Amino acid sequence: TGNVNTKRISAGGSGTPTAGIIAGGRQGDASPQGDHQTEEYTGYTWSNAADMSNDRFETEMAGPMSSAVIVGGYDIALSPEKIANVEEFDGSSWSNGTAYPSAVFAGGAAGTQTAAVYFGGYFPPPTNLQASTKEYDGSSWTASNNMVEGRGYMASCGSQTSALAICGKVSPSVDVEEYDGTSWTAGGNYPTANVNAAASGLSTAAIVFSGALVPGGTAMNLSASYDGNVFVTDTSLSTAREQASGSSQGTNQSA
């Protein structure tokens, strides 16, 4: 399908195959600075949209294209480099939302702009993997129950009451967790160790794709579907990739 206008990795992504959005990221491993550009997808072509206020990469987005929220991130040009900033998109412009309680990056997100959940990631200082979970109602963040394990650089998808955290920097890195809006439980293991993958769907019907065995390692074209219990290998991606953007408002059959 149509290429994005600006190449990027570690961006925030959301939406559906006919109304998608990507924002932030950076211009490759050799470029340490984040980006603030936004693009919208109509089903074949990408068009430039309003810029975010903040450059960021290793960030997470949730919600449909007309009502998205992006949380935290990292930008080497900033001091401090990690940010707590939250921005909301209404389909035409970005505005500042309520900041996350701590600077955070490389976590997971699910839900919508007014019913979102953010989990895991890294908090500085010190830079340690976190297990914390916080829900967002469009105006404030509320702490929920912690994940079973702290993790970052995971694939994530779903809603505030049916979210998935898949693989990432966790031990062992095939571990999956499911969130029901209150608590986390262990799910079925992914077929292979994976970091920096992407996902779409709910905790009972998801698809997980791309990634790498280790950060910066050989990219994967693996795709696997999840029914809430087990993963089954699905059709492979045409192009192997890691640090891709997921489709948090998509389904397991429309990502």
Side-chain angles (χ1 to χ4, degrees), residues 151-155 166-170 172-175 190-198 208-215 218-224 241-243:
R151 71 178 71 207
Y153 297 99
M154 71 198 87
I166 307 105
C167 301
K169 281 194 173 181
V170 65
S173 55
V174 295
D175 283 1
Y190 196 64
T192 185
N194 196 334
V195 296
N196 291 327
V208 182
F209 44 94
S210 71
L213 290 174
V214 296
T218 302
M220 295 180 179
N221 64 358
L222 177 66
S223 173
R241 63 187 78 203
E242 65 161 321
Q243 299 184 54

Side-chain angles (χ1 to χ4, degrees), residues 145-162:
N145 289 306
N146 285 353
M147 305 177 77
V148 178
E149 302 174 275
R151 71 178 71 207
Y153 297 99
M154 71 198 87
S156 60
C157 62
S159 69
Q160 193 184 65
T161 58
S162 180

Side-chain angles (χ1 to χ4, degrees), residues 5 7 22 41 51 61 67 78 99 124 127 148 160 178 186 199 210 245 248 255:
N5 296 311
K7 64 180 181 180
I22 188 171
Y41 185 63
D51 291 341
M61 189 189 301
S67 181
L78 298 178
T127 302
V148 178
Q160 193 184 65
E178 302 174 1
S210 71
S245 300
S248 68

Side-chain angles (χ1 to χ4, degrees), residues 65-210:
M65 186 175 72
S66 60
S67 181
V69 59
I70 196 165
V71 184
Y74 189 99
D75 187 0
I76 201 73
L78 298 178
S79 181
E81 297 162 341
K82 297 85 175 175
I83 58 178
N85 176 267
V86 170
E87 294 188 51
E88 300 176 351
F89 189 64
D90 62 7
S92 60
S93 62
W94 292 93
S95 59
N96 285 328
T98 302
Y100 197 72
S102 170
V104 65
F105 66 100
T112 66
Q113 190 182 98
T114 56
V117 58
Y118 187 96
F119 39 92
Y122 286 87
F123 291 2
T127 302
N128 291 327
L129 284 172
Q130 300 294 313
S132 64
T133 302
K134 292 180 174 62
E135 296 183 347
Y136 187 60
D137 62 7
S139 60
S140 60
W141 291 93
T142 303
S144 187
N145 289 306
N146 285 353
M147 305 177 77
V148 178
E149 302 174 275
R151 71 178 71 207
Y153 297 99
M154 71 198 87
S156 60
C157 62
S159 69
Q160 193 184 65
T161 58
S162 180
L164 271 182
I166 307 105
C167 301
K169 281 194 173 181
V170 65
S171 181
S173 55
V174 295
D175 283 1
V176 172
E177 293 186 44
E178 302 174 1
Y179 183 66
D180 63 5
T182 302
S183 58
W184 290 92
T185 55
N189 287 348
Y190 196 64
T192 185
N194 196 334
V195 296
N196 291 327
S200 177
L202 298 172
S203 64
T204 54
I207 186 165
V208 182
F209 44 94
S210 71

Side-chain angles (χ1 to χ4, degrees), residues 218-242:
T218 302
M220 295 180 179
N221 64 358
L222 177 66
S223 173
S225 295
Y226 187 61
D227 64 2
N229 294 294
V230 295
F231 282 92
V232 177
T233 301
D234 211 321
T235 305
S236 296
L237 290 167
S238 300
T239 303
R241 63 187 78 203
E242 65 161 321

